[in-house]
Amino acid sequence: MQIDHASIEAHLPPFIDDLMDDLAELVLADAKEFCPKGETGDLAESLRHEVNDGIFRVGSDLPRAEWVENGTPPHVIRPRNAKALFWPGAEHPYGQVNHPGTKAQPFLRPALWIKREAP
């Protein structure tokens, strides 16, 4: 018996992409469930998945998705389009603010790490 490698190589990638798409949808659903909803839920709604060449990706195109997932270190916030920062409730305008950073709220990694059974 001979194995037709060309036939296997021709038929395997679409099967793998279908399998990865099924897995990506499961991870996506869990990521949306685990994602902090905040006031609008827009971060969870921004989550998408894609499959290319047997590799799946789940994520968001919102820059803050990374900040929520990984947290942020303490940092200085300076005005960009004004001379000072001011917000409702502030005592006065500020030239800069020392932000204490934010605690990580992982939602993508926990969704990926869940043990799953093969279909």
Side-chain angles (χ1 to χ4, degrees):
M1 177 170 89
Q2 289 188 344
I3 297 174
D4 183 358
H5 292 281
S7 178
I8 291 172
E9 289 176 11
H11 292 92
L12 195 54
F15 173 76
I16 291 173
D17 280 351
D18 288 345
L19 185 63
M20 290 292 106
D21 190 63
D22 291 345
L23 181 57
E25 287 179 7
L26 293 172
V27 172
L28 176 63
D30 287 332
K32 284 186 174 190
E33 180 182 337
F34 300 159
C35 184
K37 303 303 184 285
E39 293 179 14
T40 65
D42 62 336
L43 179 55
E45 288 301 314
S46 75
L47 296 175
R48 303 282 184 269
H49 81 281
E50 67 181 27
V51 177
N52 292 306
D53 298 325
I55 298 171
F56 78 84
R57 293 176 182 86
V58 175
S60 170
D61 60 355
L62 295 179
R64 74 175 183 277
E66 182 179 357
W67 306 334
V68 173
E69 178 77 11
N70 299 318
T72 62
H75 56 281
V76 175
I77 300 175
R78 293 183 178 87
R80 291 186 195 169
N81 300 318
K83 293 182 180 182
L85 299 167
F86 187 78
W87 57 92
E91 294 176 16
H92 54 80
Y94 291 87
Q96 71 179 33
V97 176
N98 295 316
H99 192 285
T102 56
K103 183 179 175 185
Q105 300 176 69
F107 58 96
L108 290 169
R109 289 170 290 167
L112 179 62
W113 294 336
I114 290 175
K115 182 178 178 181
R116 302 179 195 280
E117 298 293 326

